[in-house]
Structure formats: C-alpha cells, structure tokens
Amino acid sequence: MIAAKRRRFVVWLKGLFLLVAVLSVLGALGMLATPNPVHSVLYLVLTLFCVAAIYLMLGAEFLAVVQVIVYAGAIMVLFLFVIMLLNLRRDEFGADPLPRQWTAGLFVCGGIAVVMVAVGLSVFLRWRTDPLQLVPLKDLSRLLFTKHLVAFEIASLILLIGMVGVVVMAKQPKEGA
C-alpha cells in the first residue's frame, strides 16, 4: 500500500518537474525571441518563477524564496526601471551593423544547447534510478552565504555598476543637440 502511494507520488513529481522545466525553457526562449524589452522581462520573470518551483521540488525552500524575492522581485523591478528610463525604440538603432555575427552566434548557441540537453539527460537518467534522492542544496546554500558571501555580494555590485553605466551612457547629450 505504501509502496504504491510512493510510486504514484514519484510519477506525479516527475510529471510536475517536466511541466515546470518545459515552462522554464519556453519562458527563456520567449525572452530571447521577443523584440519588446518589457515582454522580454516578463518572460524572464516566468523563467525565474519556474526555477523557484524546481528549487521547491528539490527541497531547497530557502533558495526558492530567495529566487522569488530577490531575482523575480527586486532585480526585475530594477530591469524594468532601467528599460523605462532609457525609453529604447527600434527606429533609433538603424540597421544591424554586424549582420554576419548572427550566423556565428547561432552556431555557438546551438552548441551550448546540445551540451545543456546532454547534461540534462544525464541528470534525468541518473534521477530515474532513485527519484527521491535529492541534491544536498542545504550544503550549497550554507557555502554560498558563509564562505562565498563576499563573491556573491561583489557579483551584485558588478551588476549594479553595469546598469548605472548603461544609464549614464544612454543619457549623455547627443552631438548637435
């Protein structure tokens, strides 16, 4: 009786994981494919929520909450603020100055996609043998917020400096104005 319930739970958990993983990939593809920057940010929010759901399924509640509060909340609001502040329009850019780089970029992205699918399949096949064996994410979070806290904070400062630099460069007066 208990074994049958456990099997049903495992099947349900696998189905939920696959649904959330597919939604995450579709959100990431939508983020890359849409020409509207606001829509792109919204697709990124969907992807971040899906990643938080995956963290919950892995038993890492703290990482899921941090994912939603910090990334889907604060960082996305900051991105939207920068997008609205810059007021970017397609007609200001003109023609693509480097059209030949699209081909090389597609090949690089295709190679990265193949590697990601191979890694995902290997993890999934390993997970199929014992689906309730979870990755010890508590150890990862403990390391991230104790030993590697300075690197974590430096990465956030680099992101902030990059966004401030973009705003300063975009708001400089144009020639002849």
Side-chain angles (χ1 to χ4, degrees):
M1 177 78 173
I2 294 175
K5 284 185 178 182
R6 181 177 173 170
R7 266 187 298 223
R8 277 193 302 237
F9 176 72
V10 168
V11 168
W12 180 81
L13 189 64
K14 281 183 182 181
L16 183 64
F17 175 79
L18 288 176
L19 175 70
V20 171
V22 167
L23 272 175
S24 176
V25 170
L26 288 177
L29 290 175
M31 180 196 68
L32 294 174
T34 184
N36 189 338
V38 176
H39 293 164
S40 182
V41 167
L42 292 176
Y43 279 120
L44 185 58
V45 168
L46 171 70
T47 304
L48 292 174
F49 272 113
C50 290
V51 170
I54 291 172
Y55 285 152
L56 276 177
M57 284 185 267
L58 290 173
E61 295 84 10
F62 175 73
L63 285 178
V65 169
V66 167
Q67 180 80 15
V68 170
I69 292 173
V70 174
Y71 291 109
I75 300 293
M76 289 303 111
V77 167
L78 187 61
F79 280 3
L80 280 174
F81 174 73
V82 169
I83 288 170
M84 297 300 176
L85 182 67
L86 294 179
N87 195 13
L88 299 176
R89 288 188 295 275
R90 273 271 191 231
D91 56 349
E92 294 177 1
F93 297 125
D96 190 5
L98 302 170
R100 287 181 280 157
Q101 287 187 349
W102 276 92
T103 308
L106 287 176
F107 281 119
V108 170
C109 287
I112 292 172
V114 167
V115 169
M116 287 175 58
V117 167
V119 169
L121 281 176
S122 70
V123 168
F124 179 71
L125 292 175
R126 198 172 331 127
W127 187 51
R128 273 184 51 196
T129 59
D130 189 9
L132 294 180
Q133 178 186 4
L134 300 176
V135 178
L137 290 176
K138 290 179 183 176
D139 297 336
L140 174 68
S141 60
R142 188 172 293 119
L143 275 175
L144 181 64
F145 292 110
T146 56
K147 183 178 179 184
H148 301 289
L149 181 64
V150 174
F152 188 71
E153 294 298 326
I154 288 173
S156 65
L157 283 174
I158 290 172
L159 284 172
L160 179 66
I161 289 169
M163 280 191 247
V164 168
V166 166
V167 170
V168 168
M169 288 179 4
K171 290 297 178 181
Q172 287 182 349
K174 297 186 169 83
E175 295 177 25

